[in-house]
Amino acid sequence: MKQAKWALLAALAVANGGAARAQIAVLQIRIVEGEGAVHAAGMRSPRFLTVEVTEETGKPVEGAAVTFHLPEDGPSGTFFNGLRTDVTTSDSRGRATLPGFAANREPGRFQVRIVASKEQARAGIVSFQYI
């Protein structure tokens, strides 16, 4: 009976691509740098936001896709790619930083929506910025 159980476990491991691997169940995002930043109207900022993506246990998540979304109208701007959405990947410390941001000329507060995803896990957060 024990041999049959081990044979079944070995077959499942092979079917799953070798060693069993745990899926990430829950992601968390924390803003590390840039929350509440004030940007000069019409100017470029070399660093925008840095976030940290972790599992629910606090372990950093490397390779998570982190998307930053700016508002379409009102106080806003564009990323250095010329768009209002940019995607980057978290590093080995779970950190993701956008290379920069160009503010438009409309003063006020705006929200940056941030979404991180890896495998089936997703998380979102909002950062407030000012022009």
Side-chain angles (χ1 to χ4, degrees):
M1 187 69 165
K2 285 185 181 179
Q3 286 180 331
K5 187 186 291 185
W6 285 111
L8 178 60
L9 289 173
L12 287 172
V14 169
N16 287 326
R21 184 173 67 95
Q23 294 274 333
I24 297 171
V26 176
L27 291 180
Q28 296 179 337
I29 304 173
R30 181 175 67 92
I31 298 171
V32 177
E33 183 181 330
E35 175 63 24
V38 178
H39 306 278
M43 301 299 292
R44 293 175 71 132
S45 299
R47 284 182 74 110
F48 187 56
L49 279 170
T50 298
V51 299
E52 182 179 62
V53 182
T54 60
E55 295 180 8
E56 61 187 325
T57 61
K59 179 182 174 191
V61 175
E62 181 177 7
V66 182
T67 307
F68 297 82
H69 303 274
L70 295 170
E72 292 295 319
D73 52 29
S76 185
T78 58
F79 295 115
F80 286 174
N81 65 5
L83 303 173
R84 288 190 175 85
T85 299
D86 203 350
V87 180
T88 189
T89 304
S90 60
D91 63 17
S92 62
R93 297 181 322 162
R95 301 228 172 157
T97 300
L98 281 180
F101 162 79
N104 65 15
R105 296 191 179 276
E106 189 166 335
R109 181 176 91 157
F110 64 97
Q111 292 182 1
V112 180
R113 291 180 297 122
I114 306 161
V115 177
S117 62
K118 178 140 186 195
E119 299 166 355
Q120 300 301 316
R122 295 191 188 287
I125 194 170
V126 173
S127 171
F128 290 98
Q129 305 283 307
Y130 301 87
I131 297 177

